[in-house]
């Protein structure tokens, strides 16, 4: 009687364990691995959401569906450079193939160009090693942008006993590489934008009307 | 009719009187509107007493300085920062080097090949320095660099020989 109870308990425990394993591991439908419900990050640490995007697990695709393209998310934090100046470089390489982007950055004289080139090479290596990308040059830059890092404040002394607070600027750089060929985007003309604007005006509904 | 005419006369006479008074002071019409705006402190004449406090003159100077009237909106700022003149142009003169395969600009030597040559010449220069011993001790003859297994040719009769203990690199042709 006691033995059967113990066995029953053991079985239910095992089932619970299996359910937990299912919930946490391979069979989860596009869910991130479970974390604690307690808010543990401090204000100084900032959001690390971009790094977490690499850990997203998709459900296995049915055989008739087109293969989902491999994506790699990479970033570098607290770069000693201005986010506005970094933006120009990030804007330049948007939509380029990775080889083209590396070539352009190699011959650019800006400080951020060398940093972005390092980040791209790291991301390319990551893609081939752990993200199931077959050819390292079959990648293109899908997203690329810069963000503000945490600034240090210093005093800048002016004349007549005045002072200003000087910001020592830092920035983050984020990039997303996708396998395959970049989708060709048609450039939006002014006429298209005007047409869209007029259409938006026409779509407005007047509430409480007849 | 007469009332409006009288008013007109009064107005005109008042302005005439005012201008006459101003002329008497020395405040002519052409000096009122400045044709060129300059920094305040440069043009202030030292007519007033010198024991004027510094704060007072600073405030006076601020009165004449250019200042923005309104905050520039983010839309206006974006138009200025993102117009094509300020964006980085992509270069179309990048090509692979025929020697090593690294990228190079069309009108510039390949950086990798240049570095390779630079390293070898640094070693040769070090050997020459060791041979000479002290500065400004170079002999008044030509120098020939010989690699492993090479003998000086007849044309290298009176030249100074620098030996390198390695195989001759492909890019350093002998003749």
């Amino acid at each position: 009687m006691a033995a059967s109870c113990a066995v029953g308990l053991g079985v239910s425990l095992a089932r619970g364990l299996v359910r937990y394993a299912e919930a946490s591991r391979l069979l989860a439908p596009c869910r991130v691995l479970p974390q604690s419900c307690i808010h543990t990050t401090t204000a100084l640490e900032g959001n690390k959401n971009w790094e977490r995007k690499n850990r997203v697990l998709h459900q296995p695709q049915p055989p008739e569906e087109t293969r989902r393209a491999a994506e790699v998310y990479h970033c570098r934090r607290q770069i000693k450079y201005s986010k506005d100046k970094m933006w120009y470089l990030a804007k330049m390489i948007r939509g380029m193939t990775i080889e083209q982007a590396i070539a352009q950055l190699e011959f650019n004289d800006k400080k951020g160009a060398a940093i972005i080139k390092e980040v791209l090479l790291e991301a390319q290596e990551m893609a081939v090693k752990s993200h199931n990308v077959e050819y390292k040059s079959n990648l293109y830059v899908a997203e690329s942008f810069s963000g503000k890092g945490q600034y240090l404040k210093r005093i800048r002394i002016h004349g007549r006993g005045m002072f200003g607070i000087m910001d020592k600027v830092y920035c983050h750089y984020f990039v997303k590489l996708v396998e395959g060929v970049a989708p060709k985007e048609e450039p939006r003309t002014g006429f298209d934008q005007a047409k869209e604007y007029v259409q938006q005006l026409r779509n407005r509904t007047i509430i409480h009307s007849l | 009719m007469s009332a409006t005419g009288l008013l007109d006369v009064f107005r005109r006479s008042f302005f005439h009187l005012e201008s006459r008074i101003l002329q008497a002071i020395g405040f002519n019409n052409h000096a009122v509107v400045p044709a060129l705006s300059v920094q305040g402190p440069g043009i202030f004449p030292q007519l007033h007493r010198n024991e004027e406090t510094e704060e007072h003159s600073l405030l006076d100077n601020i009165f004449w300085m250019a200042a923005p009237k309104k905050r520039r909106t983010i839309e206006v700022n974006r138009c200025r920062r993102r117009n094509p003149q300020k964006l980085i142009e992509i270069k179309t003169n990048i090509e692979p080097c025929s020697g090593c395969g690294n990228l190079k600009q069309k009108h510039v030597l390949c950086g990798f090949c240049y570095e390779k040559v630079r390293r070898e010449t640094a070693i040769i220069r070090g050997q020459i320095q060791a041979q000479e011993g002290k500065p400004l001790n170079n002999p008044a003859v030509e120098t020939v660099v010989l690699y492993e297994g090479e003998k000086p040719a007849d044309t290298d009769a009176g030249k100074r020989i620098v030996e390198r203990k390695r195989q001759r690199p492909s890019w350093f042709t002998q003749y």
Side-chain angles (χ1 to χ4, degrees), chain A residues 84 87-89 91-92 96 103-104 106-108 110 160, chain B residues 54 58 81-82 86-91 94 103-105:
Chain A
D84 297 316
W87 182 85
Y88 287 109
L89 292 158
K91 171 78 183 164
M92 177 176 77
M96 285 188 183
Q104 290 296 324
E106 198 175 315
F107 294 102
N108 192 301
K110 288 178 176 276
R160 293 169 178 266
Chain B
E54 284 196 333
L58 175 66
R81 289 169 191 161
R82 295 182 184 191
K86 296 218 170 162
L87 297 180
I88 304 175
E89 287 173 15
I90 56 170
K91 296 189 161 98
I94 301 171
L103 293 167
K104 72 185 251 326
Q105 283 190 298

Side-chain angles (χ1 to χ4, degrees), chain B residues 7 9 24 29 49 94 112 154:
Chain B
L7 276 172
V9 166
N29 220 2
R49 46 189 192 283
I94 301 171
F112 187 81
D154 301 326

Side-chain angles (χ1 to χ4, degrees), chain A residues 167-196:
Chain A
D167 283 325
K168 294 287 182 184
V169 294
Y170 286 85
C171 68
H172 306 312
Y173 175 69
F174 306 92
V175 72
K176 170 177 161 187
L177 300 174
V178 173
E179 196 178 8
V181 182
K184 192 134 189 341
E185 253 190 65
E186 260 185 49
R188 280 176 78 212
T189 60
F191 184 73
D192 287 333
Q193 282 179 310
K195 243 183 13 184
E196 273 180 29

Side-chain angles (χ1 to χ4, degrees), chain A residues 134-146:
Chain A
E134 198 180 348
Y135 302 111
K136 71 174 189 180
S137 55
N138 194 24
L139 293 160
Y140 71 92
V141 176
E143 286 173 30
S144 140
F145 55 94
S146 64

Side-chain angles (χ1 to χ4, degrees), chain A residues 147-171:
Chain A
K148 172 180 177 286
Q150 285 189 331
Y151 293 173
L152 295 173
K153 296 198 203 290
R154 298 284 179 266
I155 297 181
R156 198 227 184 247
I157 303 173
H158 295 270
R160 293 169 178 266
M162 306 283 229
F163 67 94
I165 309 172
M166 185 161 60
D167 283 325
K168 294 287 182 184
V169 294
Y170 286 85
C171 68

Side-chain angles (χ1 to χ4, degrees), chain B:
Chain B
M1 162 63 197
S2 58
T4 51
L6 260 174
L7 276 172
D8 263 350
V9 166
F10 277 139
R11 214 178 73 246
R12 257 180 271 129
S13 64
F14 170 72
F15 281 128
H16 189 64
L17 185 66
E18 196 189 54
S19 66
R20 273 293 193 78
I21 291 168
L22 288 173
Q23 263 185 2
I25 291 170
F27 198 64
N28 295 313
N29 220 2
H30 59 263
V32 170
V33 176
L36 176 73
S37 64
V38 293
Q39 288 278 343
I43 57 164
F44 266 122
Q46 297 295 322
L47 292 174
H48 304 287
R49 46 189 192 283
N50 288 338
E51 58 261 30
E52 217 169 34
T53 54
E54 284 196 333
E55 308 313 307
H56 186 46
S57 76
L58 175 66
L59 289 172
D60 268 351
N61 296 348
I62 286 171
F63 186 68
W64 290 106
M65 284 185 177
K69 194 73 182 176
K70 277 284 182 191
R71 180 204 158 115
R72 278 163 150 181
T73 59
I74 186 63
E75 293 89 2
V76 165
N77 282 335
R78 280 196 193 121
C79 287
R80 184 183 68 256
R81 289 169 191 161
R82 295 182 184 191
N83 75 21
Q85 184 252 334
K86 296 218 170 162
L87 297 180
I88 304 175
E89 287 173 15
I90 56 170
K91 296 189 161 98
T92 53
N93 55 355
I94 301 171
E95 55 175 18
C97 166
S98 53
C100 61
N102 289 330
L103 293 167
K104 72 185 251 326
Q105 283 190 298
K106 281 182 192 156
H107 60 292
V108 181
L109 296 175
C110 167
F112 187 81
C113 300
Y114 181 75
E115 183 61 27
K116 187 172 61 175
V117 171
R118 202 189 63 82
R119 292 226 171 121
E120 181 63 26
T121 43
I123 298 169
I124 292 170
R125 279 185 189 151
Q127 286 207 313
I128 290 173
Q129 205 179 40
Q131 262 187 343
E132 288 175 2
K134 52 182 189 172
L136 305 172
N137 198 22
N138 50 323
V141 289
E142 284 179 35
T143 311
V144 154
V145 182
L146 293 175
Y147 286 86
E148 249 180 74
E150 284 174 15
K151 304 220 171 34
D154 301 326
T155 47
D156 308 332
K159 296 180 187 171
R160 164 174 70 164
I161 293 168
V162 178
E163 304 244 316
R164 280 280 294 128
K165 287 195 196 64
R166 56 158 283 188
Q167 206 194 25
R168 180 170 281 270
S170 56
W171 45 265
F172 195 169
T173 51
Q174 201 169 6
Y175 306 110

Side-chain angles (χ1 to χ4, degrees), chain A residues 18 20-22 29 31 57 77 105 150 157 161 172 193:
Chain A
V18 165
Y20 174 77
E22 271 180 23
R31 219 202 309 165
L57 231 37
R77 305 278 183 178
L105 292 167
Q150 285 189 331
I157 303 173
H172 306 312
Q193 282 179 310

